[in-house]
């Protein structure tokens, strides 16, 4: 008899989401890396992502915040976004990972979202810019962190009990609410600090 319980179903949609989010994040990081290389090769180069005084990436790339570890931040993204792509593809291929693997994957995303949150604060409150490619990375990192975390909780990968797993299984379809709140927090901060909406309209 075929076992069709929730625990034994492969999360196809979840896997596809990881692949798509990883690909989008990777291309954003890759494009930003190319832009950084262009500015190093040609100091007079005007980055294609410099759309207006507010929406631009030139200031971010030239700042200390743009190379926290001594090399351009997007290089981290080029390397890191490979992980969700591989995990997603592996799930589609039928792979099943041990709890320790999911915990490690979640820990990596936690580190990523903390770093992204810090970069968001620096971009809005210190540099006063909204980097287009950076915002693409923010857009995929927020849902990846929340969905993977709630997925792990509902699957019991953190060693949580059956009762809590059932609770998080019911919460999981509504994870988009957490994602939306994350997006709204960025929009509110950008509007209050930079009057982003008015500025974007004026330069559009």
């Amino acid at each position: 008899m075929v076992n069709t319980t929730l625990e034994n179903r492969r999360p196809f949609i979840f896997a596809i989401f990881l692949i798509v989010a990883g690909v989008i994040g990777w291309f954003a990081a890759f494009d930003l890396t190319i832009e950084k290389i262009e500015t190093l090769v040609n100091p007079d180069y005007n980055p294609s992502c410099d759309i207006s005084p507010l929406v631009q990436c030139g200031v971010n790339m030239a700042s200390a915040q743009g190379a926290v570890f001594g090399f351009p931040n997007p290089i981290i993204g080029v390397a890191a976004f490979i992980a969700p792509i591989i995990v997603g593809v592996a799930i589609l291929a039928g792979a099943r990972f041990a709890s320790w693997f999911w915990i490690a994957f979640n820990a990596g995303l936690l580190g990523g979202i903390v770093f992204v949150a810090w970069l968001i604060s620096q971009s809005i409150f210190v540099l006063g810019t909204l980097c287009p490619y950076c915002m693409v990375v923010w857009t995929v990192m927020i849902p990846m962190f929340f969905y993977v975390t709630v997925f792990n909780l509902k699957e019991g990968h953190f060693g949580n009990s059956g009762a809590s797993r059932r609770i998080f299984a019911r919460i999981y379809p509504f994870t988009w609410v957490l994602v939306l709140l994350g997006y709204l927090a960025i929009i509110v901060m950008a509007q209050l600090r930079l009057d982003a909406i008015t500025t974007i309209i004026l330069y559009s």
Side-chain angles (χ1 to χ4, degrees):
M1 181 177 180
V2 178
N3 192 330
T4 58
T5 60
L6 179 63
E7 290 80 4
N8 288 280
R9 294 176 187 168
R10 275 181 286 175
F12 289 105
I13 295 177
F14 177 68
I16 292 171
F17 161 70
L18 288 177
I19 295 170
V20 173
V23 169
I24 292 173
W26 187 88
F27 273 107
F30 178 77
D31 286 342
L32 196 55
T33 301
I34 296 300
E35 293 291 343
K36 178 61 177 180
I37 293 173
E38 290 285 357
T39 61
L40 293 175
V41 173
N42 179 12
D44 296 324
Y45 175 73
N46 184 33
S48 62
C49 44
D50 281 2
I51 300 171
S52 72
L54 174 64
V55 182
Q56 62 164 297
C57 58
V59 171
N60 299 64
M61 289 191 296
S63 69
Q65 292 91 333
V68 176
F69 300 102
F71 54 86
N73 293 341
I75 294 177
I76 300 174
V78 170
F81 279 116
I82 295 297
I85 297 172
I86 292 174
V87 172
V89 171
I91 292 173
L92 291 181
R96 294 181 181 277
F97 300 109
S99 292
W100 66 262
F101 178 90
W102 283 111
I103 293 173
F105 185 47
N106 215 147
L109 287 173
L110 175 60
I113 199 68
V114 169
F115 188 45
V116 163
W118 181 78
L119 290 174
I120 291 172
S121 69
Q122 293 297 299
S123 184
I124 294 175
F125 295 102
V126 179
L127 302 176
T129 63
L130 295 174
C131 166
Y133 290 131
C134 302
M135 288 190 289
V136 173
V137 171
W138 306 347
T139 302
V140 296
M141 275 301 301
I142 291 172
M144 268 205 297
F145 171 73
F146 281 125
Y147 271 99
V148 170
T149 300
V150 180
F151 173 83
N152 281 335
L153 287 167
K154 83 179 183 68
E155 294 295 318
H157 292 141
F158 293 116
N160 44 312
S161 66
S164 68
R165 289 178 63 184
R166 287 190 291 273
I167 292 173
F168 283 107
R170 293 181 179 180
I171 293 174
Y172 184 72
F174 302 98
T175 305
W176 62 268
V177 176
L178 297 175
V179 176
L180 181 60
L181 290 174
Y183 291 157
L184 286 175
I186 296 173
I187 293 171
V188 170
M189 288 189 296
Q191 179 59 25
L192 292 177
R193 181 69 176 85
L194 305 172
D195 192 17
I197 296 175
T198 302
T199 304
I200 290 173
I201 291 174
L202 289 174
Y203 283 92
S204 62

